[in-house]
Amino acid sequence: MFLSVFDMFKVGVGPSSSHTMGPMVAAARFLDMMRAAPFAFHGLRASLHGSLAFTGVGHATDRATVLGLAGFLPDTYDHAKAEAALATIRDTGHVHPDGLPNLKFDPREDLMFDFGPNLAGHANGMILMATDAQGDVLMQETFYSIGGGFVMTEAELAAGKDTDEGTPVPYPFKSAAEMLTMAQTSGKSIAQMKKDNEIARGCADSLSRGCTRIWQVMNDCIDRGLTTDGTLPGGLNVKRRAKSIHDALQAERGMNLNAPHTINDWMSAYAMAVNEENAAGGQVVTAPTNGAAGVLPAVIRYWLDHVPGATTTRIDEFLLTSAAIGGLVKFNASISGAEAGCQAEVGSAAAMAAAGLCAVMGGTPEQVENAAEIALEHHLGMTCDPVKGLVQVPCIERNGLGAIKAVSAASLAMRGDGTHFVPLDSVIETMRQTGEDMHEKYKETSLGGLAVNVPNC
């Protein structure tokens, strides 16, 4: 099993990796299919299904689909150009992606929200269609956004490509137990094994540079969130709080009046800064998803700013260790809120962050696995119930608490010798089973939980 650090940590745009980035990527893939086809296309249509329909507006899925069909991509997204393109599309009812003719696409007519049963493959489904001059469908493809910005066609998902192991790597661990055995046999850390796997897949030259960029985008996102106030879009009138919390913390420094637990406020401020940026449609890094994007950066920033001996030279080690844990969760369970609730998003993020922190603090592979297990175990059963379908309430605060749990988990693991009662593999399997048992209304549909018990207008 191999999942690159650059698959786990992808630069993209908020508010959702599965509902915003995924549909945009799917649209880009469909445009490529059209460019390779021999047909004369005149128009486009799209339908959104399952969670993409129920919380699509709140997650900007409609906007992402329109922009994707206009040629925009998450990693090169430009907000000003996107706004201009949307205005033009609303006025003309057409899109003009590179390499294709001017295509009829009026979102008011050609983008449909289907609130019926989910498509067969996944809770996040969408169908894209290309039509002729009479409006008849010439080409059609079903895509599934399976979490974290990962997208697959119906055929790819049916063929098991989401669990495809690909070409061999030196350390092909599919479970935490295998990972620990390989670490013991090789004498290498989890990060070193992950690095060797990345190099075997041709990432030697770009690995350090890519990790540096990932952290730069994460850190820039924190800084923007800590210096920006105002009200988040979407209609809930949620006020940004990261800046005011950070300002207060800065003012209290050096006053010798702070209680020890104030460090939790620092972690929460860092995490909330990221998720407020995400909610505003800013640039973030999936870690492993947009909805959970604040946990891991907050823990890295906490480590760098507040832990003696921390150094940016070890961020690669943090990210590689985290990605190894994230890959295990995705391969054996899910990182999709629409598939398994928020335990799959913030829970996975906390496990990844705990593992990374434990590693850079000198933890053994056994302690790292223990840290991930503690963090994930104490998110089991967490539902995904965003109010009004927006990635704001409870998502923003939840990232702060996820970061706090991650640091606590790493600290507890470091206090032990790595032996513990519940293996990480058992917790991952429990999370998978819990996600299967969880009612759909608690899996990113906004049909239950806080979404129906909190006034949202």
Side-chain angles (χ1 to χ4, degrees), residues 29 47 49-50 84 97 109 111 145 176 183 204 276 289 314 318-319 440:
R29 289 190 60 183
S47 61
H49 301 258
E109 300 175 0
L111 179 60
S145 181
E276 286 173 357
T289 66
R314 300 190 69 185
F318 196 116
L319 293 175
E440 283 187 7

Side-chain angles (χ1 to χ4, degrees), residues 191-381:
Q192 288 169 335
M193 293 192 298
K194 180 66 175 168
K195 182 177 181 179
D196 287 350
N197 287 348
E198 295 281 346
I199 291 172
R201 290 292 179 91
C203 294
D205 295 336
S206 61
L207 186 57
S208 181
R209 185 172 63 253
C211 287
T212 298
R213 185 187 179 227
I214 288 169
W215 170 240
Q216 186 64 58
V217 175
M218 287 179 172
N219 200 39
D220 288 348
C221 187
I222 292 174
D223 287 341
R224 287 196 309 274
L226 293 178
T227 56
T228 306
D229 53 19
T231 302
L232 294 172
L236 288 182
N237 296 316
V238 172
K239 291 183 179 179
R240 286 180 178 248
R241 289 183 290 160
K243 181 181 184 299
S244 62
I245 294 171
H246 186 251
D247 289 348
L249 289 168
Q250 291 275 49
E252 292 168 7
R253 269 186 162 172
M255 296 176 64
N256 297 321
L257 297 174
N258 293 333
H261 64 252
T262 300
I263 192 62
N264 292 337
D265 298 341
W266 284 95
M267 286 184 269
S268 293
Y270 298 147
M272 291 168 67
V274 172
N275 285 86
E276 286 173 357
E277 282 294 295
N278 179 63
Q283 187 182 58
V284 298
V285 177
T286 61
T289 66
N290 281 29
V295 176
L296 192 137
V299 174
I300 296 179
R301 183 70 172 259
Y302 156 77
W303 171 62
L304 289 174
D305 289 1
H306 301 275
V307 178
T311 170
T312 56
T313 60
R314 300 190 69 185
I315 287 177
D316 288 16
E317 181 182 357
F318 196 116
L319 293 175
L320 287 164
T321 305
S322 299
I325 299 301
L328 291 176
V329 177
K330 186 180 187 304
F331 187 79
N332 294 297
S334 176
I335 58 170
S336 167
E339 193 170 27
C342 198
Q343 58 174 354
E345 297 205 30
V346 171
S348 299
M352 293 165 62
L357 180 61
C358 186
V360 297
M361 290 176 64
T364 64
E366 290 78 13
Q367 288 172 317
V368 168
E369 184 262 359
N370 187 197
E373 178 272 321
I374 294 170
L376 184 57
E377 180 180 357
H378 298 289
H379 283 88
L380 289 177

